Amino acid sequence: MNNIDNYKINFGPQHPSAHGVMRLVLDLDGEVIKKVDAHAGLLHRSIEKLCENNLYNQNVGYMDRLDYVSMMSNEHAYVLAVEKLLNIKAPIRAEYIRTMFDEITRLLNHLLWLGAHALDIGAMALFLYCFREREDLMDCYEAVTGGRLHVAYYRPGGVYRDLPNEMPKYKGDNFSKKRLDDLNYNRSGSLLDFISNFTERFPKFIDEYETLLTENRIWKQRTVGIGVVSPERAINLGFSGPMLRASGVEWDIRKKQPYAVYDKLDFKIPLGSNGDCYDRYLVRVAEMRESNKLIKQCVEWLYKNLGPVMIEDNKISPPARIDMKNSMESLIHHFKYFSEGFLVPEGEVYVATEQPKGEFGIYIVSDGSNKPYRIKMRAPSYVHLSAVDELARGHLIADLVTIIGTLDIVLGDVDR
Amino acid sequence: MLEYIKNIINNKFYNNANIVTSTTNEITIDIEKPVFIDFCKLIKNDENLKFDGLMDVSGVDYLDYGKSYWETIDSTSKGFSRGHKADINYSLYMKKRFCVSYHLLSYSKNKRLRLRVFADLKDMCVPSVVNLWSTANWHEREVYDFFGIIFLGHPNLIRILTDYGFEGHPLRKDFPLTGKYEIRYEENKEKIIREASSIKRIINTPKIVRKDFRYKK
């Protein structure tokens, strides 16, 4: 009998289920995977080096471009780190707005993940359903910031502006009168009204997704028992977020080391037990329900309590345009803020936040200047992708697609 | 917990570990290389500490630490020293040039800890912790890629994020922001060629460190 060696194939760099430009070199024995060699870095932009050469207030925009489906959560970690170094705290209303948008971002991320993951496995319809809801949430982003993806909304010391009183409406001749009325049905009020209306509708939508998948025989055959990670291994591999919770480790930074206003809100941590792809799916869907509750609580609070959304220290936040025309001091502050930025005291800080994908950490070394001396992003996708070899060994090629999907990687985050 | 770690250091790692206090309420411990692995094993397995999660490993290059492009201290007598003045010969940081920071997390005790190990151009080796925390594998490869720090005992220490065939270590402070080379397709030769980078870097906003604390409360 001839000795047949394992053979190698390339998975990617351009492969639809690699979720971006990622190259995997697979060692195969028949259809069974013997080894996965992941080549990351095809999207490397050296954001860390770029950030070191920018002012502190210029870096918020780069955070959006790391994990480009959970934009505001990334910004949150960065502004918290800068605030910790400056020893300031954002106003309470800003913290509620941040919390609300963090959870909206979590929905955005999980919806994209669910749609794309189901599409990878072969459930076509769900992709369209998920994007229907994403559209509404993107409109919330657009209403408050003007951008749909890269928004740069959070600033050190607060958020850029308060929530608008009016929700933008559809208009134009391409729609009939009745269609326009339908589209603008829940857009007559403020942004908060729109979000509030969304949280009322959303649980039914999650039920819809679950009807399609949770008890679906094909879905279960493709996900149950695939890519199992024990709790000990999950911790040792540095997993965080849903990846860790699906293995049954009760760890959520929002609960254990609360930031923003998570300690004032009521929510649960969904846990899995088997640590396979199916449990990770269940955890993420349950997380969407919890996020929905959190948004509801934030909306209620924001209705009742008005106030500033930016710290009133013109060394850190730019003065209002109208003040600049009347006050010499404001003019100087404006000039200094945009030409020199602000100086951050010497020190080192590591701030971790519960981003939709897991623990997103920002490590800043400051030497007392107006630019971060060293900034490092702890990207959850990077850590999760590093475990793909261990997860995929012994599975079939088709299961590798499931495993990559369940890791919830975004290559902007992996490669930075 | 801080007291407990202090006790351990006093008993077992006297002179080899040093607790750095900071204004941000984060515990940092500087450790000498020879005892680093022993210390890691101890805090990972100790019942009262249980640092079983390694969240992040990152390198820092302290070459330009505290250097500014724009001195403001003489502003009254001579005017600002405007423009580019990169070769000011002092550094606030007198220790070794490179540092590797490890961010540990104890899930059961809900605590975080930062360990720092220093390296210098003469001795770029740092012991690897892959055997203790598997997640260190890619983190250490990244630090090697960006800073050229060599992790002894790492199973597969190769570049990870930079391009195939990349030269140099891009996050070192003496590596130019614009890069060293640019790649383009040469039509006459019908192949891809590599040339020295032609981008000129413009510094719009100089880095400033203020040493003028007259108005500080």
Side-chain angles (χ1 to χ4, degrees):
Chain A
M1 192 180 157
N2 287 337
N3 231 349
I4 303 171
D5 285 342
N6 292 346
Y7 58 95
K8 290 186 182 209
I9 64 161
N10 260 318
F11 184 96
Q14 273 91 27
H15 191 285
S17 29
H19 291 212
V21 277
M22 175 181 63
R23 181 179 169 208
L24 299 176
V25 182
L26 309 179
D27 266 28
L28 297 175
D29 179 13
E31 214 187 328
V32 179
I33 295 167
K34 290 289 168 197
K35 192 178 154 222
V36 182
D37 185 10
H39 292 219
L42 285 118
L43 197 64
H44 179 60
R45 296 145 292 170
S46 206
I47 284 183
E48 288 167 13
K49 182 100 179 166
L50 290 169
C51 285
E52 283 170 16
N53 289 282
N54 277 338
L55 305 178
Y56 276 98
N57 48 9
Q58 292 173 337
N59 282 339
V60 177
Y62 281 106
M63 300 300 141
D64 298 324
R65 284 145 181 89
L66 285 172
D67 180 352
Y68 41 77
V69 290
S70 41
M71 298 69 76
M72 289 204 196
S73 305
N74 300 345
E75 291 171 19
H76 203 163
Y78 176 73
V79 297
L80 281 177
V82 177
E83 281 170 10
K84 196 169 175 188
L85 275 168
L86 286 165
N87 200 13
I88 54 170
K89 217 167 163 20
I92 184 79
R93 186 172 164 86
E95 294 206 322
Y96 267 95
I97 293 176
R98 282 181 187 175
T99 312
M100 185 175 79
F101 272 103
D102 267 17
E103 293 310 317
I104 288 180
T105 310
R106 197 177 306 279
L107 290 184
L108 277 171
N109 179 72
H110 283 1
L111 283 171
L112 182 83
W113 168 80
L114 185 62
H117 185 42
L119 190 64
D120 284 349
I121 295 182
M124 180 79 200
L126 203 69
F127 193 69
L128 306 170
Y129 284 116
C130 289
F131 268 67
R132 180 187 60 189
E133 274 73 73
R134 259 175 76 83
E135 189 62 29
D136 280 354
L137 293 169
M138 292 268 201
D139 284 348
C140 298
Y141 262 46
E142 198 175 357
V144 71
T145 64
R148 288 164 69 83
L149 284 169
H150 303 309
V151 289
Y153 179 51
Y154 298 177
R155 303 289 157 93
V159 294
Y160 165 61
R161 56 180 265 194
D162 208 340
L163 304 173
N165 289 325
E166 204 179 329
M167 190 71 195
K169 293 180 189 62
Y170 283 97
K171 49 193 155 189
D173 304 331
N174 294 337
F175 303 109
S176 66
K177 176 82 176 56
K178 186 174 172 303
R179 178 87 179 114
L180 264 184
D181 288 346
D182 280 356
L183 284 171
N184 290 331
Y185 172 66
N186 43 29
R187 287 162 191 267
S188 50
S190 67
L191 173 67
L192 278 177
D193 293 334
F194 183 76
I195 297 174
S196 173
N197 178 273
F198 179 83
T199 55
E200 297 300 327
R201 288 181 286 144
F202 191 57
K204 280 195 207 98
F205 294 144
I206 304 179
D207 294 340
E208 280 180 25
Y209 314 146
E210 288 217 79
T211 338
L212 277 172
L213 295 181
T214 307
E215 294 300 327
N216 186 326
R217 194 149 45 100
I218 304 168
W219 180 258
K220 276 186 149 180
Q221 279 169 352
R222 289 298 302 272
T223 53
V224 174
I226 304 294
V228 181
V229 193
S230 68
E232 294 78 30
R233 279 310 288 164
I235 287 178
N236 202 274
L237 286 166
F239 281 9
S240 49
M243 293 289 292
L244 184 63
R245 291 193 281 274
S247 294
V249 183
E250 194 192 355
W251 178 261
D252 189 321
I253 301 170
R254 291 174 294 169
K255 267 277 199 265
K256 304 282 180 182
Q257 300 171 349
Y259 54 98
V261 288
Y262 282 111
D263 46 346
K264 292 172 192 164
L265 304 174
D266 171 41
F267 65 103
K268 294 194 198 85
I269 312 176
L271 280 185
S273 50
N274 300 325
D276 57 1
C277 291
Y278 186 65
D279 274 24
R280 281 173 218 135
Y281 154 75
L282 290 179
V283 164
R284 287 195 173 109
V285 169
E287 251 179 37
M288 284 205 270
R289 292 188 195 276
E290 293 302 317
S291 289
N292 195 51
K293 274 191 230 163
L294 278 166
I295 296 172
K296 228 181 230 178
Q297 293 169 47
C298 290
V299 168
E300 254 169 54
W301 191 94
L302 286 166
Y303 267 128
K304 288 177 206 148
N305 300 280
L306 296 173
V309 292
M310 194 73 182
I311 194 166
E312 279 163 13
D313 179 354
N314 284 342
K315 297 263 186 282
I316 292 157
S317 68
R321 195 90 195 152
I322 189 82
D323 292 340
M324 251 175 65
K325 311 282 182 193
N326 302 319
S327 146
M328 185 68 178
E329 191 150 348
S330 292
L331 189 67
I332 296 167
H333 273 136
H334 179 269
F335 176 72
K336 288 304 269 183
Y337 179 83
F338 285 105
S339 62
E340 183 187 292
F342 45 84
L343 277 81
V344 170
E346 211 179 330
E348 286 182 36
V349 71
Y350 178 81
V351 170
T353 54
E354 187 73 26
Q355 196 220 26
K357 292 183 168 59
E359 171 173 330
F360 184 81
I362 292 276
Y363 173 50
I364 297 182
V365 180
S366 163
D367 61 348
S369 67
N370 53 350
K371 297 178 179 181
Y373 183 75
R374 165 91 170 104
I375 180 163
K376 162 84 202 258
M377 299 95 183
R378 192 265 181 202
S381 304
Y382 184 75
V383 179
H384 293 160
L385 181 62
S386 73
V388 71
D389 180 32
E390 189 171 324
L391 261 67
R393 266 183 206 208
H395 285 302
L396 303 178
I397 301 182
D399 296 332
L400 179 69
V401 173
T402 317
I403 288 167
I404 294 171
T406 197
L407 290 173
D408 196 9
I409 50 168
V410 158
L411 270 295
D413 203 21
V414 173
D415 296 344
R416 277 159 290 154
Chain B
M1 198 192 71
L2 189 58
E3 288 302 312
Y4 189 79
I5 295 175
K6 265 183 192 164
N7 270 335
I8 289 178
I9 289 174
N10 285 339
N11 292 338
K12 291 189 182 159
F13 300 99
Y14 189 70
N15 270 348
N16 285 321
N18 180 26
I19 297 181
V20 184
T21 50
S22 73
T23 49
T24 48
N25 290 329
E26 291 180 15
I27 309 169
T28 309
I29 303 178
D30 291 352
I31 302 174
E32 298 292 322
K33 264 186 265 180
V35 297
F36 178 59
I37 290 292
D38 290 340
F39 188 80
C40 287
K41 268 184 196 156
L42 199 143
I43 56 170
K44 190 188 171 211
N45 298 322
D46 191 301
E47 276 305 308
N48 293 317
L49 298 173
K50 271 242 166 275
F51 281 102
D52 42 9
L54 175 68
M55 299 327 280
D56 189 27
V57 180
S58 51
V60 185
D61 177 4
Y62 282 106
L63 184 66
D64 287 345
Y65 193 85
K67 282 185 190 174
S68 60
Y69 285 142
W70 192 353
E71 285 295 302
T72 53
I73 202 148
D74 299 331
S75 59
T76 44
S77 57
K78 296 178 201 158
F80 285 116
S81 62
R82 274 165 206 277
H84 194 84
K85 209 175 165 190
D87 52 343
I88 306 164
N89 257 331
Y90 68 90
S91 177
L92 290 179
Y93 215 82
M94 288 306 177
K95 284 186 197 162
K96 290 178 173 175
R97 180 173 161 187
F98 293 101
C99 148
V100 186
S101 295
Y102 298 80
H103 291 97
L104 301 177
L105 170 65
S106 166
Y107 288 93
S108 48
K109 306 286 175 231
N110 197 5
K111 292 277 186 215
R112 285 179 191 275
L113 180 71
R114 182 186 303 123
L115 305 180
R116 291 197 302 188
V117 181
F118 289 88
D120 215 339
L121 276 181
K122 283 176 213 141
D123 179 16
M124 289 294 276
C125 299
V126 167
S128 166
V129 292
V130 172
N131 292 331
L132 292 170
W133 296 283
S134 312
T135 177
N137 191 324
W138 275 33
H139 285 309
E140 285 178 353
R141 273 175 73 183
E142 186 193 323
V143 176
Y144 163 72
D145 194 355
F146 286 166
F147 293 93
I149 293 167
I150 292 154
F151 290 90
L152 293 175
H154 191 286
N156 184 24
L157 196 67
I158 52 171
R159 287 182 180 276
I160 184 161
L161 286 180
T162 50
D163 200 1
Y164 300 113
F166 191 85
E167 284 172 23
H169 300 289
L171 256 72
R172 285 188 183 179
K173 289 285 172 180
D174 49 9
F175 192 93
L177 179 68
T178 50
K180 285 182 177 163
Y181 302 106
E182 58 189 24
I183 294 169
R184 66 181 176 85
Y185 179 72
E186 171 70 49
E187 225 165 83
N188 299 332
K189 291 178 186 167
E190 292 191 339
K191 64 176 185 181
I192 292 168
I193 56 164
R194 192 174 74 168
E195 300 170 322
S197 174
S198 63
I199 311 166
K200 286 259 173 357
R201 191 185 159 207
I202 304 161
I203 300 172
N204 292 323
T205 47
K207 182 179 163 191
I208 295 168
V209 183
R210 267 201 216 301
K211 296 177 195 74
D212 181 6
F213 297 110
R214 275 175 296 177
Y215 308 110
K216 205 176 178 186
K217 281 168 200 165

